[in-house]
Amino acid sequence: MHATTELINWYNTNKRDLPWRHTTDAYTIWLSEIIVQQTRVEQGLPYFYSFLEKYPTVSHFASAPEDDILKLWQGLGYYSRGRNMLKTAIQVQQEYGGTFPTTYNELIKLKGIGEYTAAAIASFSANEPQAVLDGNVFRVLSRYLGISEPIDSTIGKKIFKQAAADLLNTEDPAAHNQAMMELGAMVCKPKNPACATCPLQLSCYAFLHNATTALPVKSKKVKIKERHFNYFVVEDNNRILINKRGEGDIWANMYDLPMIETTLPTTIDELVGLPETIKIFGNKLIIKKVFPVVKHILTHQHLYVRFIVLEQKPLVMEQNWDFIEVENLKKTALPKVIFIFLDNFLN
Ligand code: SF4
């Protein structure tokens, strides 16, 4: 009996019924994988359905305007992933005539598809024996096999890749991969793994050596950057002043509001006196209302966002600014924190 037969049996009895588990269509699997890498399954489900309804095939996806994709992606964060999906779809359309490839070697050549996603699509759609390695699988492997090499080190990655390949049940790679990920998500959780109900318990290194809290090991702590965004809300009858963001930062090419960023928190008086503020709005900023600062957490950044409603217009308009009709905001790709504020403020 293969080491993971019990795991696959457990999976077949206990798996969550998720829509993408009923298909071998590579496009649908790709959609689900990219979305689920971004958020929890329950949160990702509505996005999955919306994308599939609007773009039932990769050809539909490939011909979508980028703004529409970003709009549908709104709230998932990491908007570059939404943009990369469009690049992938266009490449599939151009190079494969709209038929999503199913082999690892073809998939890995597509823009925006890394090793994990290529292995997931190849195994789930064509049962190709490729072992997936995501955060959940790293954790299960580390505990089950007792690997204490840091999962974020170069050597660690190599060791885990080999271990994943060695453990793969080549008779049913799709079920094996699904089972490993499901076990990590539902049983072998980061904190308090439910070893008592785990099908691997009797041969698990961490369980037998009381080492579940010590594994997996991570070497680096990611530094969190703090940023302070001071947004100006400028209205003109039924229109509002928005800003199209550039490349090279969070929310690239999406829309927000005119903003002054500071590295430290500022009082309103300090903000009003900043040279950038004076340049755009003059010496006396006419403020109608200041909303309390909201903390918005991104993976490696903490944003402190403050909205300041003005009773004046800017003296100079920046190139990326434009007044748009409030009703058109619904069709505009806005970061979630901006969308939520405007939705409350304008309604
Ligand atoms: Fe994880 Fe516990 Fe199962 Fe080992 S026995 S794989 S630590 S849940």
Side-chain angles (χ1 to χ4, degrees):
M1 190 167 77
H2 190 277
T4 61
T5 305
E6 296 232 356
L7 174 66
I8 293 177
N9 291 342
W10 167 86
Y11 170 73
N12 286 331
T13 319
N14 294 284
K15 67 183 171 197
R16 287 168 292 174
D17 185 18
L18 301 172
W20 48 85
R21 288 184 170 160
H22 297 285
T23 181
T24 52
D25 175 54
Y27 166 68
T28 311
I29 292 165
W30 168 72
L31 265 184
S32 70
E33 281 302 327
I34 305 285
I35 291 169
V36 169
Q37 281 165 39
Q38 206 49 46
T39 185
R40 287 182 295 114
V41 164
E42 308 83 70
Q43 266 180 345
L45 273 169
Y47 285 92
F48 170 76
Y49 286 124
S50 315
F51 269 103
L52 205 57
E53 190 184 305
K54 194 150 183 205
Y55 310 116
T57 67
V58 69
S59 306
H60 291 92
F61 199 111
S63 53
E66 184 179 276
D67 274 356
D68 289 7
I69 302 286
L70 292 178
K71 181 69 196 163
L72 221 54
W73 189 261
Q74 185 171 289
L76 281 175
Y78 264 130
Y79 291 89
S80 54
R81 293 224 172 128
R83 261 192 308 278
N84 280 339
M85 284 177 93
L86 183 55
K87 287 183 191 153
T88 313
I90 292 170
Q91 200 182 353
V92 170
Q93 185 61 32
Q94 288 172 350
E95 292 176 20
Y96 295 92
T99 303
F100 217 97
T102 59
T103 67
Y104 182 89
N105 286 341
E106 286 172 312
L107 288 159
I108 196 73
K109 287 190 206 131
L110 296 174
K111 287 183 199 119
I113 293 199
E115 289 181 11
Y116 163 76
T117 313
I121 301 173
S123 63
F124 302 156
S125 68
N127 224 6
E128 187 179 321
Q130 293 287 344
V132 294
L133 248 185
D134 70 348
N136 284 329
V137 179
F138 269 112
R139 187 167 58 254
V140 172
L141 287 174
S142 167
R143 287 174 175 167
Y144 177 59
L145 300 172
I147 307 174
S148 56
E149 211 63 55
I151 57 174
D152 52 354
S153 65
T154 315
I155 178 84
K157 282 185 186 139
K158 260 189 170 167
I159 290 172
F160 278 93
K161 199 174 168 188
Q162 190 58 50
D166 290 345
L167 193 67
L168 180 70
N169 187 331
T170 49
E171 277 168 28
D172 196 348
H176 171 97
N177 280 338
Q178 294 276 20
M180 287 291 282
M181 294 200 290
E182 190 77 345
L183 190 79
M186 306 306 290
V187 177
C188 195
K189 294 186 176 189
K191 284 190 184 137
N192 302 323
C195 301
T197 60
C198 177
L200 301 180
Q201 188 199 47
L202 294 180
S203 49
C204 173
Y205 175 93
F207 176 74
L208 299 172
H209 294 83
N210 204 11
T212 53
T213 45
L215 295 171
V217 174
K218 268 193 194 171
S219 59
K220 295 176 218 144
K221 277 230 174 324
V222 181
K223 243 185 123 196
I224 302 284
K225 187 174 168 191
E226 286 197 355
R227 304 173 72 180
H228 298 264
F229 286 5
N230 299 284
Y231 278 114
F232 297 107
V233 184
V234 181
E235 294 174 284
D236 176 31
N237 296 319
N238 271 336
R239 300 186 311 156
I240 190 155
L241 187 58
I242 60 164
N243 167 57
K244 180 160 171 100
R245 295 179 63 85
E247 303 267 354
D249 194 0
I250 56 165
W251 306 334
N253 295 340
M254 297 182 77
Y255 294 85
D256 59 359
L257 305 174
M259 182 260 282
I260 287 178
E261 178 176 351
T262 57
T263 40
L264 293 171
T266 50
T267 63
I268 287 296
D269 284 347
E270 284 166 341
L271 186 71
V272 169
L274 289 176
E276 306 96 286
T277 317
I278 294 171
K279 188 179 140 215
I280 297 166
F281 294 105
N283 278 327
K284 280 191 189 149
L285 194 63
I286 312 170
I287 295 174
K288 195 167 164 188
K289 181 166 181 181
V290 179
F291 283 84
V293 174
V294 190
K295 186 172 176 183
H296 186 65
I297 297 178
L298 304 175
T299 315
H300 301 142
Q301 302 189 16
H302 288 177
L303 308 183
Y304 294 87
V305 181
R306 176 163 59 187
F307 294 94
I308 302 155
V309 185
L310 300 185
E311 262 195 281
Q312 69 168 91
K313 299 205 183 65
L315 304 179
V316 280
M317 285 282 277
E318 300 272 334
Q319 212 188 344
N320 293 343
W321 293 358
D322 202 3
F323 277 100
I324 68 156
E325 298 289 331
V326 165
E327 62 184 41
N328 287 340
L329 279 176
K330 286 194 206 80
K331 291 182 263 161
T332 308
L334 302 161
K336 195 173 173 187
V337 65
I338 307 291
F339 177 82
I340 291 173
F341 169 77
L342 289 177
D343 201 37
N344 286 329
F345 176 69
L346 296 167
N347 290 315

